[in-house]
């Protein structure tokens, strides 16, 4: 679909939304001011729950063109999770994939305000069979999204007043690692700034036509900014993939002659270790392979060890650069450069701040000075971010409806505690990530504060152990969590490991068990050789078929910690009584 076609269709779609359902961009809900935004306001909300597809582009951009607020949800959500979003965002219209329709109907039926939600239109996109941009009027669904195009329109009504810094463009949903997901309000200005910042630092597309693969979810801030929105100023052709399928991705790189890859860390691990990549890595007489058109790649959403980056480069000749960002901050930093020398020099850091982004590290030292105490160069502490790309606020814990009712009563009735906990009075966002800034100004991320494993008072970053394990050719993937030992009153690191040869995990014979025990011993030796003693895997090793991850590639540690992953457990250290000196 061309840029001009996309613009025309988005405007027509937005006008149809306004006319069919009376969605007025001037009817906004105003929230309490925060340190990053004075009086954030939210227009009528349109919920979009779709995988990557062409209708996603028209629906989302059409919603924005109409002066409305789009909230983006993952198609993988359960009905209970969708119900939480419905209650908090209170959409005026819903667009969902046909595969999600049953869960959406169940979520709507679970709402307390049945009268309101029964009046909310639910439109369906049949992703597998939709022939858009050839808009067909024949559909198996009475409420097909294409019917919005069929409405006669008198043109698009624009908001009478627009402050791009305080008007919510999208509501994204945080991963909820510390509880239920939170609605993150990003303004039009935040999105525009972030895309401009990315474009300013896009050293990979200086001349030449850009061809990208769109398998990173567009509903996630990473895919939304780095692919969906950035493609417009970059003039990139994006080949959409509703889901990541390894063989399809490999074939598309070769057939489409992709120039730049955006990926989550598990894809980088796949490129480094999977045997199915070998035919595409094999070089011809001129030294070229299927990835020779790829200038570089970027990964984000979760940590990735340097060993995996080096393995991808050695195998395919493609440098995978590490980037850093959050839903609440948009893009923060990225490693510059595309050469092997630059890759080796930057090691495990996550690059320099993007244009216009400020970084700080808060010292953990106790001082008498009120407020944040900046860390020294090279000193670890909590990472803070400040930029025009920061969120305006979270949705109030009580949801938009309660916020609107409270506005007529008192501001104190609107619970904004989640926002005030993470935004400092001078506009810094507290990421919850631990890291340091080097003398060269690069950011090095250690781990998340809430994911740290506490071993007898020492802090153990799971990401460090995962990088060590994934550096082994015998490991396809790994995740590490802490397990509590009540007898010792401490946590121990436990590793969930996907072997490079996973057949032994499925087999139940004694020979396979012995094979895994030997592998566990080698991995124990590897960790001991590269880490301090308190970081050793005294919680054991569990061999599994896969490590649970979110669509963005973030390891779901809570699932592993709560026993949601089954596998073959091997204890690599003997336990015995410890005697007190007293």
């Amino acid at each position: 679909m061309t840029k001009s076609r996309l613009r025309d269709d988005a405007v027509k779609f937005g006008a149809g939304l306004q006319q069919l359902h009376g969605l007025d961009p001037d009817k906004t809900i105003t929230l309490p001011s925060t340190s990053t935004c004075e009086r954030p306001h939210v227009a009528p909300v349109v919920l979009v729950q779709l995988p990557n597809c062409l209708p996603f582009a028209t629906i989302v951009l059409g919603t924005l063109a109409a002066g409305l607020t789009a909230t983006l949800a993952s198609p993988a959500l359960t009905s209970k999770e969708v119900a939480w979003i419905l209650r908090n965002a209170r959409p005026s219209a819903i667009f969902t994939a046909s595969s999600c329709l049953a869960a959406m109907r169940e979520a709507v039926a679970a709402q307390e305000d049945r009268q309101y939600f029964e009046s909310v239109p639910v439109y369906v996109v049949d992703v597998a069979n939709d022939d858009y941009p050839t808009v067909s009027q024949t559909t198996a669904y009475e409420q097909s999204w294409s019917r919005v195009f069929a409405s006669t329109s008198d043109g698009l009504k624009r908001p009478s007043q627009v402050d791009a810094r305080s008007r919510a463009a999208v509501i994204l949903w945080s991963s909820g690692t510390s509880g239920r997901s939170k609605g993150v309000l990003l303004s039009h200005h935040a999105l525009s700034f972030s895309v401009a910042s990315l474009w300013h630092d896009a050293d990979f597309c200086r001349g030449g036509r850009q061809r990208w693969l769109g398998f990173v979810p567009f509903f996630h801030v990473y895919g939304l900014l780095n692919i969906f929105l950035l493609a417009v100023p970059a003039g990139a052709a994006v080949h959409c993939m509703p889901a990541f399928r390894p063989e399809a991705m490999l074939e598309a790189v070769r057939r489409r002659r992709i120039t730049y890859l955006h990926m989550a860390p598990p894809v980088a691990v796949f490129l480094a270790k999977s045997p199915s990549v070998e035919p595409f890595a094999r070089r011809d007489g001129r030294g070229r392979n299927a990835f020779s058109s790829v200038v570089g790649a970027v990964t984000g959403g979760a940590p990735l060890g340097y060993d995996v980056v080096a393995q991808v480069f050695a195998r395919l000749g493609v440098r995978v650069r590490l980037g850093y960002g959050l839903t609440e901050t948009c893009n923060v930093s990225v490693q510059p450069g595309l050469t092997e020398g630059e890759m080796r020099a930057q090691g495990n850091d996550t690059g320099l701040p993007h244009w216009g982004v400020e970084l700080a590290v808060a010292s953990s030292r106790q001082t008498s000075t009120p407020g944040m105490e900046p860390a020294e160069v090279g000193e670890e502490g909590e990472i803070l971010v400040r930029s025009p790309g920061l969120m305006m606020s979270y949705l109030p814990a009580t949801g938009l409806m309660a916020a609107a009712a409270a506005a007529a009563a008192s501001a104190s009735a609107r619970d904004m505690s989640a926002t005030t906990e993470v935004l400092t009075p001078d506009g810094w966002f507290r990421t919850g990530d631990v890291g340091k800034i080097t003398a060269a100004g690069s950011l090095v991320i250690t781990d998340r504060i809430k994911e740290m494993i506490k071993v007898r008072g020492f802090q153990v970053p799971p990401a460090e152990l995962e990088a060590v394990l994934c550096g082994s050719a015998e490991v396809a993937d790994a995740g590490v969590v802490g397990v509590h030992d009540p007898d010792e009153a401490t946590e121990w690191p436990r590793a969930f490991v996907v072997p490079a040869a996973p057949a032994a995990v499925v087999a139940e014979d004694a020979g396979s068990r012995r094979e895994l025990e030997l592998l566990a011993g080698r991995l124990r030796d590897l960790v001991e050789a590269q880490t301090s003693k308190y970081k050793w895997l005294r919680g054991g090793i569990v061999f599994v078929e896969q490590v649970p991850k979110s669509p963005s590639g973030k390891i779901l540690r809570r699932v592993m910690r709560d026993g949601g992953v089954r596998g073959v457990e091997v204890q690599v250290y003997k336990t015995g009584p410890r005697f007190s000196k007293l």
Side-chain angles (χ1 to χ4, degrees):
M1 184 164 56
T2 65
K3 193 185 302 186
S4 61
R5 174 67 186 274
L6 176 58
R7 181 191 182 281
D8 292 345
D9 282 4
V11 170
K12 183 178 180 181
F13 182 87
L17 264 182
Q18 290 178 345
Q19 181 169 342
L20 279 176
H21 304 295
L23 302 185
D24 187 349
D26 287 327
K27 291 182 178 179
T28 61
I29 296 174
T30 303
L31 302 178
S33 297
T34 69
S35 60
T36 58
C37 179
E38 183 176 356
R39 295 172 57 81
H41 50 278
V42 183
V45 175
V46 176
L47 172 61
V48 183
Q49 186 191 32
L50 294 174
N52 294 3
C53 57
L54 291 180
F56 178 97
T58 300
I59 293 171
V60 171
L61 294 181
T63 298
L64 300 184
L68 309 174
T69 299
T71 185
L72 310 182
S74 167
L77 296 181
T78 65
S79 61
K80 187 176 181 180
E81 291 167 326
V82 176
W84 171 256
I85 291 177
L86 291 176
R87 185 174 77 83
N88 282 270
R90 200 170 173 83
S92 300
I94 296 171
F95 292 83
T96 189
S98 55
S99 58
C100 307
L101 185 57
M104 179 61 72
R105 286 174 172 164
E106 187 176 339
V108 169
Q111 298 303 306
E112 293 180 3
D113 190 354
R114 293 289 297 275
Q115 183 177 358
Y116 173 80
F117 278 96
E118 285 175 357
S119 67
V120 174
V122 178
Y123 289 97
V124 180
V125 179
D126 187 2
V127 176
N129 302 305
D130 195 284
D131 54 3
Y132 180 75
T134 304
V135 180
S136 172
Q137 297 304 313
T138 59
T139 174
Y141 296 95
E142 180 182 351
Q143 283 293 90
S144 170
W145 78 283
S146 61
R147 294 183 182 275
V148 178
F149 280 109
S151 63
T152 57
S153 176
D154 297 329
L156 197 66
K157 176 186 176 183
R158 302 189 182 278
S160 57
Q161 292 183 337
V162 176
D163 181 355
R165 295 177 183 270
S166 62
R167 190 180 186 91
V170 296
I171 304 173
L172 304 183
W173 297 88
S174 70
S175 55
T177 54
S178 57
R180 276 182 158 176
S181 60
K182 297 185 283 289
V184 179
L185 273 63
L186 295 175
S187 68
H188 288 268
H189 181 71
L191 296 184
S192 298
F193 165 80
S194 298
V195 171
S197 181
L198 284 167
W199 177 235
H200 180 275
D201 296 336
D203 55 359
F204 58 89
C205 57
R206 296 289 187 254
R209 180 71 184 274
Q210 289 295 303
R211 297 177 295 276
W212 302 344
L213 279 181
F215 56 79
V216 174
F218 295 162
F219 58 78
H220 188 274
V221 69
Y222 176 28
L224 179 70
L225 292 173
N226 287 265
I227 305 176
F228 179 71
L229 294 177
L230 183 59
V232 177
V238 180
H239 301 276
C240 292
M241 296 178 66
F244 174 73
R245 291 182 290 115
E247 299 299 334
M249 185 273 285
L250 293 171
E251 191 56 49
V253 169
R254 175 162 56 189
R255 187 175 69 256
R256 304 290 188 183
R257 300 189 73 246
I258 298 302
T259 59
Y260 197 71
L261 283 172
H262 306 79
M263 64 184 71
V267 178
V269 174
F270 165 78
L271 293 177
K273 298 175 179 291
S274 174
S276 60
V277 178
E278 195 54 38
F280 299 85
R282 195 174 298 121
R283 299 183 181 275
D284 59 21
R286 297 180 298 167
R288 297 178 61 82
N289 62 19
F291 282 77
S292 292
S293 62
V294 181
V295 174
V298 65
T299 182
L304 180 67
Y306 174 75
D307 286 340
V308 174
V309 172
Q311 289 170 27
V312 173
F313 188 86
R315 190 179 200 185
L316 302 175
V318 175
R319 185 198 171 183
V320 179
R321 309 193 293 182
L322 274 62
Y324 174 59
L326 298 92
T327 307
E328 295 89 341
T329 64
C330 296
N331 292 75
V332 174
S333 68
V334 71
Q335 292 176 327
L338 300 165
T339 67
E340 181 179 7
E342 289 165 314
M343 176 187 75
R344 297 188 185 283
Q346 291 161 14
N348 280 313
D349 70 46
T350 49
L352 300 169
H354 277 290
W355 178 83
V357 175
E358 294 178 272
L359 279 178
V361 172
S363 175
S364 57
R365 300 189 307 270
Q366 297 294 325
T367 67
S368 58
T369 306
M372 180 190 71
E373 177 71 16
E376 301 289 340
V377 172
E379 179 189 354
E380 287 190 358
E382 183 178 9
I383 300 167
L384 288 85
V385 180
R386 185 166 64 183
S387 83
L390 291 189
M391 71 171 187
M392 299 188 296
S393 72
Y394 290 121
L395 274 180
T398 49
L400 268 184
M401 182 58 184
S410 65
S412 60
R414 290 168 285 184
D415 185 357
M416 301 293 287
S417 58
T419 300
T420 56
E421 286 173 4
V422 296
L423 290 178
T424 67
D426 50 350
W428 290 91
F429 178 81
R430 302 184 59 186
T431 65
D433 290 325
V434 180
K436 59 187 177 183
I437 296 177
T438 68
S442 295
L443 177 65
V444 179
I445 298 174
T446 307
D447 220 297
R448 281 196 61 80
I449 291 175
K450 293 182 179 179
E451 291 180 354
M452 286 286 191
I453 302 169
K454 301 292 182 65
V455 179
R456 301 196 191 285
F458 293 98
Q459 291 189 335
V460 178
E464 178 185 351
L465 294 175
E466 289 158 3
V468 171
L469 292 167
C470 287
S472 168
E474 296 184 281
V475 174
D477 200 3
V480 175
V481 297
V483 291
H484 184 66
D485 183 345
D487 295 330
E488 299 287 347
T490 189
E491 286 186 312
W492 302 120
R494 172 177 290 176
F496 290 76
V497 174
V498 180
V505 178
V506 182
E508 299 181 357
D509 57 279
S512 297
R513 171 78 188 191
R514 179 58 181 162
E515 183 182 333
L516 292 177
E517 289 175 348
L518 292 173
L519 174 56
R522 293 192 292 273
L523 295 179
R524 176 199 62 201
D525 295 342
L526 175 67
V527 172
E528 289 183 355
Q530 297 190 34
T531 67
S532 302
K533 189 173 182 177
Y534 65 87
K535 298 179 181 179
W536 293 358
L537 300 173
R538 298 189 183 277
I541 297 176
V542 182
F543 291 101
V544 296
E545 293 184 72
Q546 65 178 13
V547 174
K549 296 185 178 181
S550 69
S552 65
K554 189 174 297 183
I555 295 175
L556 301 177
R557 302 187 198 279
R558 196 179 345 183
V559 176
M560 297 188 293
R561 193 181 298 113
D562 295 346
V565 180
R566 303 296 180 184
V568 179
E569 183 176 347
V570 178
Q571 287 296 332
V572 291
Y573 293 97
K574 293 182 179 180
T575 58
R578 296 178 73 245
F579 298 98
S580 171
K581 293 181 180 180
L582 300 178

